Structures are given as structure tokens and as C-alpha cells.
Amino acid sequence: MSSGFSGMLQLTDLDDFIGPGQECIKPVKVDKKVTGGKGAKIKIEADGSYFEELESGGSRKLEKASITLADCLACSGCVTSAEAVLVEAQSTARLQEALQRKRDGEELFIVVSLATPPVLSLAHKAAIAPQEAAERLAGFLKSLGADLVVELGLAMDWAVAVQQEEAMARLAARGQGKHPGPLLSSSCPGFVCYAEKTHGAWILPHLSRVKSPQQIMGTIVKEWLPTRLGIPPSSTYHVTVMPCFDKKLEASREDFLSEVAGGPEVDLVVTAVEVEELLGREGRRLATCPPAPLDRLVGEGGGVLRAVQGSGSGGWGEQVVRHAARHLLDQQLETVEFKVLKNPDFREVVVGEGDRAVKVAIANGFRNIQNLVQKMKRKRCDYDYVEVMACPGGCLNGGAQCRAEEGGESAREVVARLEEEHRALAGGHLPEASPELALLLEAWPEARGGEARLRLLHTEYHEVEKLTNGLAVKW
């Protein structure tokens, strides 16, 4: 196992995977000329080491062949998510190296973007308020050398607003004849990877083309911020703090390379558990770190941690419902009540009646995703939009959120508490009416429309050629 990867990343069999969790590291090919032919046997020791039993009676330890995130994205041999991917390029050690390079005189402008779910998780673990946690985390990161620490709300507003437009276009197409099938949210890289690897061409047209908030923020940081600050785009180093390891996969996609900066839109992704580990290595506790105001990319004053109204994964489904009700049904919805179907992770809501009805669902966890996909294959899925997340419970229950303490609250209780905190942060304005977004678009005219806007906000997906059967792999 690679020693360079964050220690909190463990290889575990998650019971929500479609196939069994498998290590994405395997022994190199056995040279049968050396071992004496087909009689060679492989055994695995308790520590995960592979040994080849030789005919002479001894054994030979086999080296392990490591893989990169690019290998993972290009391989169809599994349907697992990045919890089982070992890659040194996405670790807190790399963050510390970048900070050290800056201290040594390299021209680096380091920007850290905080997603709301990991901040809520860290706040809960430290028993402090979310805004305080965000500011103490900002103080900690700036003490290490970060130049700006911002919250991700600006990019979240922009992503949701553009996805609402996409959903409305699909609803208009529905009125022209046969139901086009649902538009599926695309902010979860675990689901995107699964769709590309497992179902490919037929499902990809259903995925929203809108970039995730992480990648939209990457575009802002790499292409707009340097112009505003008068610094070379290549000197920006963008770090995001996320609730799951899959975001490392997303940041590594070749689709998300910035031509302007000559590198990735997001250089490094760290997670809640990795921040917790980094604090420990520095001998610090979040609750006692000196605070610093969150920065704003546009506007005055300190930044405020906030959330889009709806689910803890970003409120995608609820905002599409509200937007459609306003623009198609002339209804201002005070509340949106999703009805639980077979389990709490599969919910739906219908607004309007007859041909004007809009039907939206939330599907969390691969079991529910599989059921959704089967309905789509059988042409029995009449949803107009589905918010899809790979983790049961959504992003607040991401695989890299802080772990529940033994003997304390259960994981389910922790997620319920985080949902309460998330709801308390939501509200204030509609995503498309964000004051910060309006200021950004005023300062960045090319982002308002045309081909430039499409390039900045949209992405593509790629069917992965099936090389192996992921459910039958035997190493």
C-alpha cells in the first residue's frame, strides 16, 4: 500500500457498492518461465502481501503495481468509487509540499475552496458552530500559507442556476411528443464514473452537462481570478475541501484541464478526514485555531458559509421543482415535501397535474441508482429530473466525512444533525438571484453567454470500453 496517501484513506468493502469492493492494486504478472509453469500458486498474507509458492518449496514476494487516477478513469474492470484508489498525487502531503515550495520562494498563489458538507462535519466533530468552524479552518490554512480561503456558495449557485435552465429545456422537449426521460444530476463523480463505465452510450445523454460546483469554482479561480489580481494563471494553485474521495477522481479528469492556466482547474482535493489528520500532524485542534474571516472573490466583507435550500447534497432536486413551479405553473412553493418510497434514500415529489405535472426524485446510494437505471432501461421511468448521489444519505454522509465516535452518536444520528445544520444555513436568495453571482457576471462579461459560457460551465462524458467484467474479476 502506498505510504504517500493520506492515512485516513482505508480500503474497505462498502455494502452499498454494486460489486464487491476490491483493491485497485494487484500483483504484477507471474513469469511462468521463472516459476516453473502452471503449477504456480499465489497466497496472500494477513498484511495484504502477495507471495508466489515455488516448486522448490520456498516462496517469492511479488511486487505491487500501483495505479493512477487516470488509470482508474480509463478502466472498466470495476464499479467501485475512489475509496479504493491509491494515488499519491491527491494527498495532504502534496498540499504540504506546495506550501513548502511557496515558503521556499516559488511564485504560488494558493486558493482553498470549502464545500459546506465537510465544514459541517468538522464543526460537529469539534462541537462548534459551522461559521466558526469555517473561520477557524480559514485561520489554520492561512497560517500554513494559503492566500485565500473561500466558501463554495458562489459556484454552487451558478451550477444550480444553469442546471435549472437545462431542466427547463428538457421539460419543453417533453411537450413536443414522447417523454425524453429524466435529466440526471452530474455533481457526483462516483455516479458519473459508474454511468460511463457500466452503461455508457445509452445513459450518458441523460446526464446534465453542467460542471459540478467544484469544477466551476476551478474555472473561476484559474481563468478569472488571475486577471482580477494581475497574476499569471499558471501561478494559481487551487485546493478544494470535499466530503468524499471521489472528488479526487473528478479533479483528475482530462476534461477539467484549464488551457489558460496550463494545468488542472483543481490541483488538489482534500477531504474532511484528511483535514482532521492534517490538524493532528500540526499538533492543532480546530476548536482552538485562531480564526480568520472567509474571503470573498467578489463583493465586500467576510464570506459567510451557506447552503442552497434542499438536500444536503446541494438541493438540486428541490431547486428544479421550485424553478419549474414558478415558470411553468406560476406557483411560489413555500415548502417542497418529497414522499419517501421504498426507503428514505429514494423520494419523489409531483407538482402540477395532468400534462403540466413535473415529477422529480432523489436517488441516493447504488441500490437505488440500480433500480432507477432498470426503470429507465424498461422505459418505465417518468421522472423529469433526478438528483443522484452515490452515497446513501447523500453528500453529508460522504465516505470522507469525519467518523462517528465509538460509543457516541450513530452515523445515522450524525447525518440527521448535519441535515439540521444544513437547513439552518440555507435560504436568503434563489441561486439565479445570487448577489455574488451577479457581481461576478458583471466583472466577467464573456461568462454571460455564447460559446465562452458553454466552455466555462459545461462538460462532456465518455463511454468507457468494457475490458473486463467487474463482477467477476479474480486476482
Side-chain angles (χ1 to χ4, degrees):
M1 185 179 295
S2 170
S3 60
F5 205 83
S6 301
M8 293 301 297
L9 182 57
Q10 302 294 326
L11 293 175
T12 56
D13 288 327
L14 301 186
D15 61 8
D16 194 59
F17 280 8
I18 295 175
Q22 296 172 327
E23 291 189 32
C24 286
I25 283 186
K26 58 183 179 179
V28 294
K29 182 179 179 181
V30 176
D31 186 347
K32 293 181 179 178
K33 292 181 180 178
V34 175
T35 62
K38 297 182 180 180
K41 296 181 179 180
I42 303 297
K43 65 177 181 178
I44 306 175
E45 298 293 335
D47 63 356
S49 300
Y50 290 78
F51 285 84
E52 177 189 2
E53 296 181 348
L54 304 176
E55 290 183 350
S56 62
S59 63
R60 179 171 69 95
K61 185 176 181 179
L62 299 179
E63 297 178 359
K64 290 187 177 183
S66 62
I67 67 166
T68 67
L69 283 179
D71 295 327
C72 178
L73 291 169
C75 170
S76 64
C78 70
V79 289
T80 185
S81 55
E83 281 84 348
V85 176
L86 299 180
V87 53
E88 295 183 2
Q90 290 282 351
S91 67
T92 52
R94 290 296 179 263
L95 173 58
Q96 291 176 306
E97 287 177 9
L99 293 165
Q100 186 60 51
R101 284 174 13 226
K102 181 180 178 179
R103 288 192 289 270
D104 291 341
E106 184 174 336
E107 187 179 6
L108 279 184
F109 190 86
I110 299 176
V111 181
V112 183
S113 300
L114 308 178
T116 300
V119 175
L120 291 176
S121 183
L122 288 162
H124 180 78
K125 193 70 176 286
I128 57 179
Q131 181 67 25
E132 180 185 351
E135 292 178 356
R136 290 190 182 277
L137 183 55
F140 170 63
L141 293 168
K142 288 182 178 182
S143 74
L144 297 180
D147 294 283
L148 294 178
V149 179
V150 299
E151 56 96 29
L152 209 63
L154 170 61
M156 190 78 216
D157 284 337
W158 206 358
V160 173
V162 178
Q163 199 160 112
Q164 286 175 170
E165 296 173 6
E166 193 177 18
M168 291 294 288
R170 203 169 188 90
L171 285 167
R174 181 190 70 173
Q176 298 172 7
K178 189 176 179 181
H179 194 293
L183 178 67
L184 307 176
S185 67
S186 57
S187 66
C188 175
F191 169 63
V192 170
C193 243
Y194 161 67
E196 290 180 321
K197 291 181 177 185
T198 309
H199 298 291
W202 79 265
I203 198 172
L204 297 185
H206 291 276
L207 267 64
S208 168
R209 288 294 188 265
V210 180
K211 287 182 180 179
S212 73
Q214 170 176 278
Q215 298 307 139
I216 288 179
M217 183 59 86
T219 301
I220 296 171
V221 168
K222 291 299 180 89
E223 300 200 16
W224 176 76
L225 187 62
T227 302
R228 178 197 167 206
L229 298 178
I231 61 176
S234 58
S235 72
T236 56
Y237 190 86
H238 186 207
V239 181
T240 63
V241 179
M242 289 287 149
C244 74
F245 297 116
D246 285 353
K247 284 295 181 179
K248 298 174 188 283
L249 279 174
E250 181 176 85
S252 300
R253 291 177 71 94
E254 293 184 0
D255 304 84
F256 298 139
L257 293 176
S258 170
E259 295 181 7
V260 173
E265 294 170 341
V266 177
D267 296 281
L268 179 66
V269 178
V270 295
T271 63
V273 291
E274 290 172 308
V275 169
E276 199 175 28
E277 184 185 56
L278 179 59
L279 283 161
R281 285 207 302 268
E282 295 289 332
R284 311 282 286 277
R285 291 176 53 247
L286 184 61
T288 58
C289 288
L294 289 175
D295 297 293
R296 288 184 185 271
L297 296 183
V298 291
E300 302 295 331
V304 178
L305 187 70
R306 56 194 174 85
V308 174
Q309 189 171 7
S311 72
S313 300
W316 305 91
E318 181 165 327
Q319 290 305 315
V320 166
V321 171
R322 291 180 182 276
H323 190 78
R326 285 194 303 274
H327 293 275
L328 296 180
L329 307 174
D330 195 27
Q331 296 180 14
Q332 297 290 336
L333 299 179
E334 295 296 327
T335 59
V336 177
E337 296 291 340
F338 280 81
K339 177 184 177 182
V340 175
L341 298 183
K342 292 184 178 180
N343 58 74
D345 272 326
F346 200 101
R347 295 167 281 160
E348 69 174 33
V349 65
V350 181
V351 294
E353 298 178 351
D355 294 340
R356 301 183 69 198
V358 177
K359 192 172 184 180
V360 173
I362 296 175
N364 292 328
F366 274 120
R367 288 192 178 96
N368 289 321
I369 291 173
Q370 282 182 295
N371 290 334
L372 173 68
V373 168
Q374 291 306 313
K375 285 184 179 180
M376 291 174 65
K377 282 185 174 181
R378 293 195 294 265
K379 310 292 184 184
R380 294 180 181 176
C381 182
D382 59 351
Y383 294 118
D384 297 300
Y385 181 90
V386 185
E387 176 185 313
V388 185
M389 301 293 155
C391 291
C395 293
L396 290 176
N397 189 38
Q401 294 282 72
C402 298
R403 316 302 190 207
E405 297 283 356
E406 285 190 25
E409 292 177 299
S410 68
R412 187 183 297 274
E413 289 171 332
V414 170
V415 172
R417 184 73 60 85
L418 297 184
E419 287 175 347
E420 291 177 9
E421 297 281 3
H422 185 274
R423 283 193 294 271
L425 295 175
H429 59 255
L430 299 172
E432 63 269 30
S434 163
E436 281 187 283
L437 181 55
L439 288 172
L440 176 66
L441 294 178
E442 182 181 345
W444 197 8
E446 67 180 290
R448 297 176 196 166
E451 291 186 6
R453 184 175 188 264
L454 290 175
R455 179 184 65 80
L456 295 170
L457 299 176
H458 290 75
T459 187
E460 297 294 331
Y461 306 105
H462 316 281
E463 180 179 11
V464 177
E465 181 180 355
K466 291 181 172 58
L467 302 176
T468 59
N469 178 355
L471 297 179
V473 173
K474 292 183 179 180
W475 291 335

